[in-house]
């Protein structure tokens, strides 16, 4: 299976084509949406996109890890991570099933 990565430019091109916007406006629109999502997550708030999924910010505590090469124990600092949980609709769509089945 070969995979292609969809870039910001690809998203903007799809929006421009679907909505009929000039490409530069579609690029600005896509950037604004992604910036808003990033800013919301940075503030520690979750993002829920109905029918698509949820982005959740989680706090991870300090723990001890291990360097796989040397076996040396290394402290891992506390940090925040973002997790994504797809909606049932997205799961169905990816698996080629009609929505709501």
């Amino acid at each position: 299976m070969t995979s292609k990565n969809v870039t910001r430019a690809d998203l903007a091109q799809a929006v421009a084509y679907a909505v009929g916007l000039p490409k530069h406006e579609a690029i600005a629109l896509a950037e604004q949406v992604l910036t808003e999502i990033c800013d919301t997550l940075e503030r520690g708030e979750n993002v829920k996109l109905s029918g698509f999924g949820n982005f959740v910010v989680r706090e991870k505590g300090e723990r001890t890890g291990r360097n796989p090469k040397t076996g040396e124990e290394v402290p891992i600092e506390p940090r925040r991570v973002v997790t994504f949980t797809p909606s049932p609709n997205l799961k169905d769509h990816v698996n080629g099933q009609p929505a709501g089945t």
Side-chain angles (χ1 to χ4, degrees):
M1 172 188 269
T2 60
S3 64
K4 176 187 182 295
N5 294 324
V6 176
T7 65
R8 290 174 185 224
D10 294 334
L11 291 174
Q13 181 68 36
V15 168
Y17 180 76
V19 181
L21 289 174
K23 189 171 181 180
H24 70 276
E25 288 182 20
I27 290 170
L29 178 63
E31 282 296 323
Q32 184 59 41
V33 168
L34 294 173
T35 298
E36 185 61 32
I37 291 170
C38 290
D39 290 348
T40 301
L41 293 169
E42 185 179 5
R43 290 191 305 268
E45 300 173 25
N46 299 331
V47 175
K48 179 177 182 173
L49 301 175
S50 183
F52 185 73
N54 297 319
F55 295 91
V56 177
V57 177
R58 289 186 29 219
E59 302 285 335
K60 294 188 95 175
E62 184 175 0
R63 65 186 178 91
T64 302
R66 192 175 299 276
N67 181 330
K69 211 172 198 180
T70 64
E72 176 187 359
E73 289 189 353
V74 180
I76 299 175
E77 299 295 322
R79 63 198 184 283
R80 296 188 320 170
V81 296
V82 177
T83 61
F84 175 73
T85 305
S87 75
N89 290 348
L90 178 58
K91 288 180 185 180
D92 289 346
H93 188 79
V94 168
N95 289 311
Q97 300 172 353
T101 60

